Amino acid sequence: MKKRQVVVKKSSSKRTSRVSMNWGVRYGECQKNHAANVGGYAIDGCREFMAGGEEGTTAAVMCVACGCHRSFHRREVDEAVCEGSGTTNV
């Protein structure tokens, strides 16, 4: 799993800052073992998860390329920090 770390510095001024976290999740290659029931190891070679429908539907968690559930695909999480600033009346 590839992780990225972002460091946010706080300023010592009388201004307050708002920090919002945006998470981006991408699903990589399929890791489902199709030969597990016979004691072997074989993967199908699906390189990337492709959703079968719009987000929020039951088809969105099924891969169109290999037909398996999204949980069999390697999960990659990207973090992005967006800073916005505001002022306070102190």
Side-chain angles (χ1 to χ4, degrees), residues 23-27 49-64 69-71 75:
W23 298 87
V25 178
R26 190 179 81 77
Y27 294 92
F49 175 78
M50 291 186 288
E54 293 294 322
E55 189 66 36
T57 63
T58 56
V61 295
M62 300 303 291
C63 182
V64 175
H69 194 270
R70 179 173 67 187
S71 64
R75 184 177 175 169

